[in-house]
Amino acid sequence: MGRAEYHPSRRAFLGATATAAAVGLTAACESGSAQPSRRGAPAPVSPTGPHQAGITLPREAQPNLLAVVADLADGVAVGPLLAELGEAVRTLTAGTDARLLGLPPGDLTVTIGVGPRLVRMAGPSLPGTADLPEFSREQVDPRARGGDLLVQICAGDPTVIPIAAAALLHQAGDRIRERWRQSGRRGTTVPVAQGVTAPRNVLGFIDGIVGPHTTVEQRRDLWLAGPAPVARGTIAVLRRMELDLSRFAALPVATQEAVFGRRRDTGTPLSGGAIAADPNLGAKTPEGRYLIPADAHIRRAHPNVVGVGLMLRRSYNIDEPAPGLLFISFQNDIRTFTNTLTHMDNSDALLGFTTTTASANFLILPGFDQQRPLGATLFP
């Protein structure tokens, strides 16, 4: 995959989509099985309900993802476009859409969000109107910053994703112009707690251990409680990061662990305890040295240290345009992300190995069904 570029025509959209190799558009796709799955096949996922699919369920996210970020062409009516996309999502995930070319959808999910410009059109005081600020260690082309529309697709079968993407982009037609896209895959997962797993990233460490995993935590930190037009939606942040893998790999394992503040093999905090245990940030050696270094990632990004809520983090390993990660987080207050990264910016040892090359944030729309079209609460 090359650098971000515009694709001004439907033909360009379809050509780019047809050549995608490994994919997925959402980060953590939601499962709501309406019918039993075939033996060996993943359970189908209902796209309808109070929240969009692809955020909290299945608890273990599908391994393949494609994120597409686009702008709306001038004069496009937002409400009808979102309603059409929602209907296409419904038929694709149900397996009744001929554009699937006969393939079963399996656990396919699609999650759709709108960027700050569109949210401001719906209401200037709504959550989701603020653009992400620029941070250090960024080399972001203007075309890879921001955007009007996010389409996330996740699936266990990587073949399904470009086919679903082609159908959705065909549905949108010339009403949108693609800015950038990124495919990714999740590493092997390990158990974190009962019903909760987390994958290994390309640095060899377990990624996304801490998050709002319980219903109470999700109600507090993940889902928007209001105002009414955005209730049951959430805020997504996407950051594509190149990683200096060779320099990190050259470090001794103990130094790598000091960067993260966790054991590489088990994911447990350097202060001890189980993988899901809250790290003891005050624990010291007999000589008075912190067990978790002052610049360790687990310390600098700790929500209690930063003073923010939990974010649901979904990271995907990428090969192109360079080895690294597509970081996706969901939270009900964008300050959960911005305050965390600001706190990390000057003193987090992990950031020294990263360069951000794409950055965007979106309001993930509330859930929908056949009586309530996608986006209808914001764009009636």
Side-chain angles (χ1 to χ4, degrees), residues 110-174:
V110 179
T111 308
I112 294 177
V114 292
R117 186 180 75 89
L118 298 189
V119 181
R120 289 191 291 266
M121 289 170 53
S125 62
L126 290 173
T129 57
D131 292 284
L132 276 181
E134 296 184 19
F135 295 93
S136 65
R137 299 180 179 87
E138 292 186 347
Q139 294 180 12
V140 180
D141 185 284
R143 292 171 295 180
R145 188 182 297 279
D148 288 338
L149 186 71
L150 168 68
V151 183
Q152 271 186 155
I153 304 169
C154 295
D157 182 357
T159 307
V160 170
I161 294 176
I163 296 173
L168 291 164
L169 293 174
H170 178 266
Q171 190 72 48
D174 293 333

Side-chain angles (χ1 to χ4, degrees), residues 34 41 60 121 128 147 153 174 194 196 215 219 234 249 317 331 358 373:
E60 183 170 320
M121 289 170 53
I153 304 169
D174 293 333
Q194 185 171 2
V196 179
T215 300
R219 185 181 303 117
T234 186
N317 302 318
Q331 52 275 300

Side-chain angles (χ1 to χ4, degrees), residues 72-96:
L72 267 65
D74 294 341
V76 169
V78 182
L81 172 62
L82 293 174
E84 286 183 36
L85 290 175
E87 179 60 17
V89 169
R90 195 182 65 79
T91 58
L92 287 167
T93 55
T96 59

Side-chain angles (χ1 to χ4, degrees), residues 116-352:
R117 186 180 75 89
L118 298 189
V119 181
R120 289 191 291 266
M121 289 170 53
S125 62
L126 290 173
T129 57
D131 292 284
L132 276 181
E134 296 184 19
F135 295 93
S136 65
R137 299 180 179 87
E138 292 186 347
Q139 294 180 12
V140 180
D141 185 284
R143 292 171 295 180
R145 188 182 297 279
D148 288 338
L149 186 71
L150 168 68
V151 183
Q152 271 186 155
I153 304 169
C154 295
D157 182 357
T159 307
V160 170
I161 294 176
I163 296 173
L168 291 164
L169 293 174
H170 178 266
Q171 190 72 48
D174 293 333
R175 290 175 290 180
I176 66 173
R177 300 175 297 171
E178 188 173 326
R179 292 175 68 92
W180 61 279
R181 63 169 56 204
Q182 184 64 57
S183 60
R185 60 189 180 279
R186 286 166 69 82
T188 303
T189 57
V190 299
V192 170
Q194 185 171 2
V196 179
T197 62
R200 289 195 182 273
N201 61 31
V202 292
L203 295 174
F205 283 77
I206 301 169
D207 203 331
I209 295 169
V210 178
H213 299 309
T214 69
T215 300
V216 171
E217 291 171 338
Q218 290 169 3
R219 185 181 303 117
R220 183 191 67 205
D221 295 328
L222 176 61
W223 305 118
L224 288 162
V230 301
R232 297 180 176 177
T234 186
I235 305 293
V237 170
L238 281 75
R239 303 269 288 178
R240 184 177 65 201
M241 296 179 287
E242 296 182 4
L243 298 177
D244 193 340
L245 297 182
S246 59
R247 186 162 64 90
F248 187 84
L251 299 175
V253 172
T255 305
Q256 295 177 8
E257 293 177 337
V259 168
F260 276 90
R262 292 185 179 274
R263 300 295 179 195
R264 191 177 70 179
D265 56 349
T266 63
T268 56
L270 295 184
S271 56
I275 182 174
D278 196 35
N280 183 353
L281 299 178
K284 296 181 179 181
T285 67
E287 297 75 30
R289 177 177 54 85
Y290 280 116
L291 292 177
I292 297 176
D295 62 351
H297 178 63
I298 192 176
R299 181 187 293 275
R300 299 304 302 174
H302 195 285
N304 290 346
V305 173
V306 180
V308 296
L310 299 171
M311 64 177 77
L312 183 64
R313 294 176 292 139
R314 304 291 188 182
S315 293
Y316 292 80
N317 302 318
I318 64 174
D319 294 324
E320 297 290 343
L325 289 173
L326 177 65
F327 170 91
I328 304 175
S329 69
F330 298 96
Q331 52 275 300
N332 60 13
D333 189 335
I334 196 169
R335 292 174 296 184
T336 299
F337 175 82
T338 56
N339 289 5
T340 299
L341 189 52
T342 298
H343 192 257
M344 294 165 53
D345 214 11
N346 296 320
S347 55
D348 189 310
L350 180 58
L351 290 189

Side-chain angles (χ1 to χ4, degrees), residues 12-39:
F13 282 141
L14 297 177
T17 305
T19 58
V23 280
L25 261 153
T26 319
C29 305
E30 197 161 352
S31 153
S33 299
Q35 58 187 13
S37 62
R38 298 173 302 170
R39 179 175 297 179

